[in-house]
Amino acid sequence: MSKLNENINESIERTASLKEDKEADVLDTSNKEDEISKYRNLYVIIEQIDGKIVPVGLEMISEARRLVDDFNKKYLLNEKVIAVILGNDIKHLCNDLIYYGADAVIYADDPRLQYHINKIYTKVIVQIATNTKHIEKISPEYSKQFIRPRYMFFAANSTGRHLSSTVLAELESGLASDINKLVIEDIDFRHEHKTKGQMLTFKKTLMMYRPDFSGFLWTTILCLDNKNPEIKRDYHPQACSIIPGVFEPLEKDMSRTGIIEEFKPEFDTKDLEIRVLSRNILKDVIDFGSYKTIISFGRGIKESPEQNIKLIEKLAKLLNAEIGISLPVSKKPFKLSDKINSLYITPERVIGTSGQKVEPTIYIALGISGATQHLAGMKNSGFIIAVNPDENAPIRNECDVFIKARIEDVLPIMIEELEREKMTQTREGGGSVVVGTV
């Protein structure tokens, strides 16, 4: 029996040893591949207006910090979060970017970058992304092989969407737009053209998720190299634009230190043919922040869309509320008068990750089911009332009061009660109507 036990123990030890050797071989192979990688670090393109950082920039740095910390721990590497900022008289912003999580900042401070001109900004960012001089200081261990970033982030706003598309076109790589979730993984993937039908592993792949189908489905977007020998080529950086308001910025930590590098942009005469002489920034057409109550409506208006919107309009007037809409309604699925369309069915009124993020004291959701992208835009409201005939609608889990009903049945009652309350208070010389009567 003792001899048998001895043999078993030897077998276990040999198996454990083989497993360790195999894991060491895999890691060694991975490290060797990493030693010669041409793509390093995560670049975050920061926007600023009149010397103030646009908030989504700090949100992107926060998410980049989380991803790169996990990445370095998982792959035993030392890659960096590098913030890139352009403008005139913006050097003082660099320390803040370090305090909020960047390892390094590359900035271009030039009077010719005073205002955002996409053609010029594209050229300068491409110059920075392919410049090896700064990497010698920021990532000296990788500088010899460095060609361009491994990943890049842009803001999914009007400026960032345009800029990201032209930068990635110049860099001849792919781009995913309007992203709200990111993961870095090794994935096994088979494709008729990219892998010639073979199941192959793509390492360190940035998996970019975006809300589609009105927020009810996440689409995963990948930017993968062609590994088919007949069409072999790389697609780096893997890049995306990130929806503002999705990620929370890190707390400002003034004890953080990092590397700050100045980049001297190169222009030619043609670059400077277009000049911006002055600029006025228009505020949001719909200022939700000025209202304590917001009423939003979704496709639940479908049975009598025009009439229901008029009821919502009346309710909003009684409550001194602003009116918002869900993303599906902004696609104009209903036949409405030109007046209603121009007043309410506009992108500026969309609430959610594809529109504005709101935090009113009271939020009333009418005929809105509660897609993820909409909930992300209003879930921090103080008190939420939802009206929906579907008791299984996701918004039920997010509201304080759920009324299972059609909005055309509920709104007349609410309006009648509010008007009665208002008349009573007027006779008594009282104050304003409160929503507690609803």
Side-chain angles (χ1 to χ4, degrees), residues 28-72:
D28 186 52
T29 301
S30 176
N31 285 340
K32 285 178 180 175
E33 288 177 1
D34 288 325
E35 286 170 8
I36 59 173
S37 177
K38 298 172 285 187
Y39 314 113
R40 297 290 183 183
N41 304 320
L42 195 164
Y43 283 43
V44 182
I45 309 304
I46 304 296
E47 295 176 21
Q48 57 80 29
I49 298 176
D50 297 335
K52 294 181 180 177
I53 296 170
V54 175
V56 65
L58 303 183
E59 296 163 12
M60 291 193 294
I61 288 179
S62 170
E63 180 62 2
R65 179 79 275 148
R66 181 189 70 80
L67 285 168
V68 170
D69 285 347
D70 291 346
F71 176 95
N72 286 334

Side-chain angles (χ1 to χ4, degrees), residues 7-145:
N7 290 338
I8 291 173
N9 289 335
E10 285 180 1
S11 177
I12 292 173
E13 288 174 2
R14 280 199 303 273
T15 303
S17 177
L18 287 171
K19 184 180 179 184
E20 288 175 1
D21 290 345
K22 186 178 179 182
E23 289 175 349
D25 288 343
V26 170
L27 186 59
D28 186 52
T29 301
S30 176
N31 285 340
K32 285 178 180 175
E33 288 177 1
D34 288 325
E35 286 170 8
I36 59 173
S37 177
K38 298 172 285 187
Y39 314 113
R40 297 290 183 183
N41 304 320
L42 195 164
Y43 283 43
V44 182
I45 309 304
I46 304 296
E47 295 176 21
Q48 57 80 29
I49 298 176
D50 297 335
K52 294 181 180 177
I53 296 170
V54 175
V56 65
L58 303 183
E59 296 163 12
M60 291 193 294
I61 288 179
S62 170
E63 180 62 2
R65 179 79 275 148
R66 181 189 70 80
L67 285 168
V68 170
D69 285 347
D70 291 346
F71 176 95
N72 286 334
K73 185 177 179 182
K74 181 176 181 179
Y75 297 108
L76 304 178
L77 293 172
N78 185 31
E79 301 206 13
K80 301 291 175 33
V81 175
I82 301 176
V84 176
I85 186 166
L86 280 55
N88 182 32
D89 192 21
I90 46 92
K91 184 179 179 180
H92 63 285
L93 300 177
C94 296
N95 281 327
D96 274 347
L97 296 173
I98 299 289
Y99 296 154
Y100 278 99
D103 293 305
V105 180
I106 302 175
Y107 71 98
D109 199 336
D110 190 298
R112 292 167 290 186
L113 299 172
Q114 172 76 33
Y115 300 116
H116 181 99
I117 298 175
N118 199 70
K119 179 182 177 183
I120 296 176
Y121 269 50
T122 296
K123 183 170 186 174
V124 176
I125 289 173
V126 170
Q127 289 173 0
I128 290 174
T130 53
N131 185 286
T132 59
K133 176 186 169 187
H134 301 298
I135 298 304
E136 291 174 4
K137 293 184 179 178
I138 296 170
S139 296
E141 64 269 54
Y142 305 133
S143 61
K144 288 184 180 177
Q145 291 80 30

Side-chain angles (χ1 to χ4, degrees), residues 329-349:
V329 170
S330 72
K331 310 297 182 186
K332 300 186 176 180
F334 307 115
K335 188 175 181 180
L336 298 165
S337 66
D338 291 343
K339 181 183 176 184
I340 292 291
N341 265 325
S342 60
L343 267 177
Y344 300 115
I345 316 301
T346 63
E348 294 81 11
R349 290 189 185 270

